[in-house]
Amino acid sequence: MDKLRLKFSKTGRAVYISHLDLIRTMQRVFSRAGVGLKYSEGFNPHARISILLPLTVGTRSLCEYMDFGLAAEDADLASLPARLNPYMPEGIEAIEAYPAPSKGSELRWLRLSGRMTGGRDASFYRDFFSQPSILVTRRSKKGERVDDIAPMIGKAEFTDAPDGVHADLILHAQEPTLSPEVMMAALGEEAPSYFVFTRVEAFREDRTPFR
């Protein structure tokens, strides 16, 4: 079975598993669960799995996606998460498996929930990120470039709370990409001393749910 998709969460200590280690982990999990992955052909076959939008190490997510293929044509996808989860490392949980109805490139927006401390109050962040233009200097392989990140912010709501400022964001995920880290860097000296964000939900370009 080709073009399958697994939705999973990555929290707790699992946030420190790197992208390459996560791929190796998933291969071991499928093997231990007795679920045969489909492999490529040729002299150096490799499992046909791909993680969409790999996470930065240390970031939590409730909506990670992995595309894969299975050797068996009659695999029961509905029961697959229950078969995999006993072999998952702490912090990774398979949520749902299904035939992929879309390309990974169609994942364009991410909703993130966050908390910021050691900075300004909610009204400051609200006013800053509602500006019509927010210029940020980024480094790339071709050198430095200046991007306007304002069009990449679909939503930026901030609320004062006893444990800091809570943020509810919707950011463009790819082509172009905006991360919470780049958003905080745009604040310069006004950036919070500590912040943590969790991916909560994924959307297509028209803001309909991604699957």
Side-chain angles (χ1 to χ4, degrees):
M1 298 176 71
D2 291 321
K3 299 181 180 179
L4 305 177
R5 183 161 291 160
L6 178 72
K7 181 179 181 180
F8 64 97
S9 60
K10 189 178 180 216
T11 60
R13 293 193 296 177
V15 302
Y16 300 107
I17 299 176
S18 69
H19 173 60
L20 291 179
D21 284 339
L22 178 60
I23 291 178
R24 298 187 189 102
T25 296
M26 287 299 190
Q27 291 184 50
R28 289 195 297 269
V29 167
F30 273 77
S31 176
R32 290 171 181 172
V35 181
L37 287 167
K38 182 165 284 189
Y39 279 73
S40 63
E41 300 178 355
F43 293 104
N44 186 27
H46 58 274
R48 291 185 176 178
I49 63 175
S50 174
I51 308 292
L52 309 186
L53 297 184
L55 279 169
T56 301
V57 173
T59 303
R60 291 165 36 98
S61 179
L62 306 180
C63 59
E64 290 302 281
Y65 298 91
M66 184 185 84
D67 285 355
F68 65 102
L70 291 180
E73 295 297 328
D74 58 348
D76 182 7
L77 295 181
S79 66
L80 185 59
R83 293 183 63 182
L84 298 177
N85 281 331
Y87 303 95
M88 290 286 193
E90 178 185 346
I92 298 180
E93 181 180 3
I95 299 170
E96 184 182 10
Y98 51 89
S102 59
K103 296 180 180 179
S105 60
E106 293 182 35
L107 196 169
R108 291 303 182 92
W109 295 92
L110 285 169
R111 181 179 173 218
L112 302 106
S113 176
R115 181 172 63 86
M116 302 138 62
T117 59
R120 302 291 294 272
D121 61 13
S123 62
F124 174 83
Y125 298 122
R126 195 180 303 118
D127 292 343
F128 184 91
F129 289 112
S130 64
Q131 296 179 93
S133 178
I134 305 171
L135 300 181
V136 175
T137 300
R138 300 206 226 191
R139 293 181 179 178
S140 67
K141 294 180 180 179
K142 298 181 179 180
E144 291 187 345
R145 72 176 193 270
V146 177
D147 290 338
D148 183 1
I149 66 170
M152 308 176 203
I153 302 174
K155 175 183 179 181
E157 294 184 354
F158 301 90
T159 307
D160 290 312
D163 59 347
V165 175
H166 291 189
D168 185 9
L169 310 177
I170 295 180
L171 306 182
H172 211 264
Q174 54 182 338
E175 299 180 5
T177 301
L178 176 60
S179 67
E181 290 78 13
V182 172
M183 275 191 74
M184 297 300 104
L187 292 164
E189 294 182 355
E190 302 292 351
S193 58
Y194 173 81
F195 58 88
V196 59
F197 284 88
T198 300
R199 289 181 181 178
V200 177
E201 195 173 1
F203 304 98
R204 296 157 58 96
E205 188 63 49
D206 61 2
R207 306 282 185 90
T208 56
F210 176 84
R211 279 183 54 78

